[in-house]
Amino acid sequence: MVDAPLQKRQTAYKVTVKDIIDSRYIKTSGMEPNYLEVGSKQISRVNILGVIVEKLDMDNYKALVIDDGSGRISARVFDGNIFLSNVEVGDVVNLIGRPREFSSEKYVIIEAIKKTDPAWARVRDLELQKNSDNSKKSKVIQDKEEKVDSSPKNKIILAIKELDDGDGVLIENILSKNVDGAEKIIDTLLKEGGIFEVKPGKLKVLE
C-alpha cells in the first residue's frame, strides 16, 4: 500500500478585504483547494487585519464582520473548537482563514484569530503599499491609531519597518532615532515576539 502524498499547507497571503471581494472565486475538482484570483496569485488562504464591527450568533455558525478600511467581510466559524469569546466589537484583529463564496457572497472561514495592537494596522498598510483610493481606514482603526501613533513602541516598530532593506536593521540605527527608552522598548518587543533578531545586532519586524 502506497501512502498518499501529504498536501502542502497553503500560504496565507496578506490581502485587503477589497482584494477578496473584487476577486474571482475559482472552484476546483479533486484534492486541490478552491482559490481566489488576486492579480497573478491563486490564493486559497488569506491573512487580513481589521477591526471587528459586529458579532453574530447564527443557527449553525458564529460570525464576525471585519472592516479593514477597504471594505467589510463576514468571517465565520462552523467549528465549535474555535472560540471567539476573547475578541469583541472594536478590537483590531489579525485573522487567517479560507475564502469561500455562497450565492455570490464572499466570506472567510476562520482558522485562527488574534487580537493585536492597532499600531500593526500602520505596518500592514506599509506592507500592502495601498494606493490613495484604498488607503482610507475605518474610523475605529483611525481613532485607535491616533492614540498610539506617537507612542515610543509604535515609533520603534515603524522605524524598523521603514529602514529594513530586507536584511534587517542595525540596533544602533534604531537608537539614532532618539526615541525615549528605545533600548527597553526593543527588549520588550523582542520578548513579546513583535520583532526578532535576524542576526546578532540586526532587527526585523515579525511578518
Side-chain angles (χ1 to χ4, degrees):
M1 180 177 176
V2 179
D3 292 334
L6 293 175
Q7 189 173 13
K8 183 180 178 181
R9 187 171 180 81
Q10 303 295 316
T11 300
Y13 287 95
K14 294 175 182 176
V15 296
T16 66
V17 169
K18 187 175 188 299
D19 289 333
I20 299 172
I21 294 172
D22 291 349
S23 63
R24 184 182 175 199
Y25 185 70
I26 305 298
K27 293 183 178 180
T28 63
S29 57
M31 296 295 292
E32 292 300 315
N34 298 342
Y35 61 88
L36 300 173
E37 285 186 341
V38 180
S40 60
K41 293 185 177 69
Q42 295 181 353
I43 297 178
S44 58
R45 296 176 74 232
V46 297
N47 179 331
I48 57 178
L49 192 151
V51 64
I52 300 173
V53 295
E54 192 173 0
K55 290 183 75 171
L56 303 169
D57 195 349
M58 311 302 288
D59 290 338
N60 60 337
Y61 66 89
K62 297 181 185 297
L64 305 173
V65 178
I66 305 293
D67 186 336
D68 73 344
S70 72
R72 294 185 175 188
I73 195 166
S74 173
R76 304 176 184 178
V77 171
F78 295 90
D79 183 353
N81 291 326
I82 299 178
F83 298 101
L84 302 180
S85 58
N86 60 335
V87 293
E88 300 295 338
V89 172
D91 288 344
V92 176
V93 294
N94 196 178
L95 182 152
I96 294 175
R98 295 188 176 274
R100 292 290 185 267
E101 184 178 69
F102 181 73
S103 297
S104 299
E105 179 191 2
K106 293 188 179 72
Y107 62 95
V108 176
I109 296 178
I110 300 173
E111 292 184 337
I113 185 169
K114 181 180 179 181
K115 182 178 177 180
T116 190
D117 191 318
W120 288 103
R122 290 285 305 278
V123 175
R124 181 62 62 89
D125 258 359
L126 291 171
E127 291 172 336
L128 296 176
Q129 296 179 340
K130 293 180 180 180
N131 60 37
S132 58
D133 290 335
N134 293 332
S135 63
K136 185 178 180 182
K137 304 178 187 68
S138 68
K139 188 176 186 302
V140 178
I141 288 182
Q142 287 177 336
D143 289 345
K144 286 178 176 289
E145 285 186 354
E146 285 174 1
K147 297 176 182 178
V148 299
D149 275 355
S150 59
S151 71
K153 180 185 285 189
N154 191 38
K155 288 180 180 179
I156 294 292
I157 291 171
L158 293 178
I160 295 172
K161 190 67 183 178
E162 291 168 358
L163 293 173
D164 190 358
D165 60 2
D167 192 38
V169 183
L170 290 170
I171 291 178
E172 51 261 39
N173 290 345
I174 302 301
L175 297 179
S176 70
K177 293 291 184 178
N178 296 320
V179 177
D180 291 340
E183 291 187 21
K184 185 176 180 180
I185 293 168
I186 289 171
D187 287 340
T188 299
L189 287 170
L190 285 168
K191 290 176 183 176
E192 292 176 348
I195 63 175
F196 66 99
E197 280 193 286
V198 63
K199 60 180 66 172
K202 274 199 168 185
L203 305 176
K204 284 184 73 72
V205 173
L206 183 64
E207 299 181 350

